Amino acid sequence: MRPERFEFERYASLGAALASLRDAPPDSRVLAGGQSLLKQIRERSVHVVRLFDISGLEELNFLNYEGTALTVGALVSLTRLAVEPRVATHSMALAEAARRVGDVQVRSRATLGGNLLSGWSGDLAVALMASGASVDLCHHAGARSITVDELVCDGCNRDELIRGVSIPAVRASAFVKLSRRAADPAIVSAAAAVFAVRPLRIGLAAGGVHGHPIRLAAVENLISSSGLSKQGIAAACDAAAVEHSPPSTPHGSADYRRRVLPILVQRALQTALTRAGLGVLT
């Protein structure tokens, strides 16, 4: 199917892009890597009247250390996230999540910012959510910062662009994913991060069990108060799965996702604990 007619604009500077977005019509879209958007345009599953191409903005393509946090630009490719040593050292969960998105061709074009806004099972959002990452947004009048949780729940304003993501330092992290094939979207995914040992403070998140990736705050609180227990973690994950109503798709029913979620959370957490030099789940 051929796409509908639309206007196309390409920008050489971030300021010019933000100025245009300020007066953009409602059915405008921003093009970064385009791995999801171009397919939707061809299938006419989204209506586009104007397409803003920001793929050439070097101002959004960076990796910087700011204090103890790693800041990753919105246009950094998934390939770079998967192979960059600084990313793996700082956030192994993010590197592992990037490696599991699509195939080599997709990862070479897909971007961090685009993946964060790509849909309900977003792998990078799961990894970043567990690590307590924040998103830096910019618009023509200034900037603001929100959590990854807020971004996947509410999105961003029409006149805003993701500048980058700030990832705090963690002791260790891990990401696991269940899918039909390695390049397929997740049926269920989970990520874990260990922030501190005494007292134990962790972060947990999951994808594929709700309309968007979720932070498993109830499971985190249980571990903080009751310690590391497979049985307790499974019970908390079951409660979370029921609360968030996993979807049923041809790749996995809601009941299957509920059953798989505790297993993947335990695997992610055990891997993160091992990398942090801690014990095993009992």
Side-chain angles (χ1 to χ4, degrees), residues 13-270:
S13 72
L14 179 59
L18 294 174
S20 293
L21 283 174
R22 177 179 53 187
D23 302 316
D27 290 325
S28 300
R29 292 291 189 275
V30 174
L31 176 69
Q35 296 305 287
S36 297
L37 180 60
L38 293 180
K39 180 175 182 290
Q40 293 170 340
I41 292 174
R42 286 195 301 269
E43 295 173 344
R44 299 194 180 187
S45 59
V46 299
H47 177 63
V48 177
V49 298
R50 187 177 298 171
L51 193 62
F52 297 97
D53 183 2
I54 64 168
S55 60
L57 298 183
E58 288 302 315
E59 296 152 284
L60 302 181
N61 192 355
F62 60 86
L63 278 170
N64 293 328
Y65 270 105
E66 298 179 359
T68 59
L70 174 67
T71 304
V72 184
L75 292 185
V76 172
S77 72
L78 269 58
T79 293
R80 188 176 179 188
L81 292 176
V83 303
E84 175 68 50
R86 287 179 294 174
V87 174
T89 299
H90 190 85
S91 177
M92 181 58 77
L94 178 59
E96 290 174 329
R99 292 170 195 153
R100 292 297 306 274
V101 176
D103 53 26
V104 173
Q105 290 87 348
V106 168
R107 291 193 294 272
S108 68
R109 292 290 303 171
T111 63
L112 170 64
N115 186 269
L116 284 177
L117 297 172
S118 65
W120 63 279
S121 63
D123 294 335
L124 300 193
V126 174
L128 292 169
M129 196 178 292
S131 298
S134 59
V135 182
D136 301 320
L137 301 173
C138 54
H139 53 91
H140 66 278
R144 67 186 179 111
S145 180
I146 62 175
T147 65
V148 175
D149 311 44
E150 292 171 318
L151 179 71
V152 300
C153 288
D154 304 322
C156 56
N157 296 328
R158 189 161 50 87
D159 62 346
E160 291 179 316
L161 290 175
I162 297 176
R163 177 184 175 272
V165 175
S166 182
I167 311 164
V170 298
R171 185 174 178 124
S173 63
F175 172 86
V176 295
K177 171 180 172 178
L178 175 66
S179 58
R180 294 179 64 205
R181 297 172 298 183
D184 285 350
I187 298 173
V188 176
S189 62
V194 178
F195 296 101
V197 176
R198 291 187 179 88
L200 181 63
R201 188 166 66 90
I202 64 168
L204 295 171
V209 293
H210 189 51
H212 53 73
I214 58 172
R215 183 79 177 258
L216 298 175
V219 187
E220 296 173 4
N221 293 335
L222 173 75
I223 293 173
S224 298
S225 61
S226 305
L228 300 172
S229 164
K230 286 185 179 180
Q231 184 176 3
I233 292 170
C237 288
D238 289 340
V242 172
E243 177 186 353
H244 292 285
S245 302
S248 288
T249 70
H251 294 165
S253 67
D255 183 62
Y256 178 70
R257 295 174 197 271
R258 289 191 191 98
R259 293 174 181 270
V260 167
L261 175 61
I263 299 171
L264 264 67
V265 169
Q266 290 173 17
R267 288 179 181 175
L269 181 55
Q270 183 61 77

